[in-house]
Amino acid sequence: MEDTIEIARETPLGADLAELHARHAAAMHEDTPPESIHMLPPDALAAPGISFFVMRQAGRPVGMGALKRIAPDEGEIKSMHILSEMRGQGLARRMLEQLIAAARAEGMARLYLETGSQDSFAPARQLYLRAGFAECGPYVGYQPDPNSVFLMRAI
């Protein structure tokens, strides 16, 4: 029988999350110049106004995602990552659905996100576009960047 996948709100500072954060950081640095990387470190993800979620399989962290409030009725998806060996099973879609549901529950009407423009980010862009996100311009705190794609969805 397949292990159940669970997604729950947790602290990003959990001791067993170090590998997940490290692999996310390594993936972001693979083909993105440092000045174009907008991920938040674990301590910043623990700040007020950010809801952090961990996806676990049999207790092992296999994915994460965060929701940051950027305005009273707007949020931003941050640090969404599924371990590479777990991809292709619909887990990123499940995490995205969790983040959208949390945003709705927190009274948000719009969600934004920034992702890479490089080929390595194509699966992520496809996921977001299939989920109803559309390209938009830079939003709060961002500048135009050829390595970034900005997306927004009303929820």
Side-chain angles (χ1 to χ4, degrees):
M1 184 174 151
E2 201 172 296
D3 290 316
T4 302
I5 297 288
E6 296 178 347
I7 302 173
R9 194 178 301 235
E10 296 186 23
T11 174
L13 304 175
D16 68 342
L17 301 180
E19 177 188 1
L20 188 59
H21 288 296
R23 289 181 60 185
H24 177 57
M28 295 302 99
H29 285 86
E30 276 180 17
D31 64 357
T32 305
E35 66 273 13
S36 295
I37 296 174
H38 303 287
M39 61 176 256
L40 296 175
D43 60 334
L45 289 168
I50 298 180
S51 301
F52 184 80
F53 295 86
V54 177
M55 176 180 282
R56 294 179 179 272
Q57 181 181 45
R60 175 182 176 236
V62 297
M64 65 182 180
L67 178 63
K68 178 181 179 184
R69 187 176 293 279
I70 59 173
D73 65 344
E74 296 179 337
E76 178 184 17
I77 293 175
K78 300 293 292 181
S79 297
M80 195 166 124
H81 185 81
I82 305 297
L83 293 177
S84 57
E85 67 271 21
M86 299 297 293
R87 294 180 188 160
Q89 303 176 49
L91 300 181
R93 179 186 46 75
R94 287 179 60 184
M95 177 60 78
L96 182 58
E97 289 169 354
Q98 174 70 41
L99 295 171
I100 292 169
R104 276 191 191 114
E106 292 181 25
M108 296 179 193
R110 280 175 301 288
L111 270 180
Y112 293 86
L113 64 89
E114 178 276 336
T115 192
S117 62
Q118 302 89 329
D119 290 345
S120 61
F121 290 91
R125 291 191 307 272
Q126 291 171 1
L127 168 73
Y128 299 130
L129 292 172
R130 280 194 308 263
F133 284 81
E135 286 195 39
C136 65
Y139 52 94
V140 179
Y142 290 94
Q143 299 300 317
D145 183 336
N147 295 298
S148 290
V149 174
F150 302 99
L151 301 168
M152 188 277 295
R153 176 188 161 170
I155 56 170

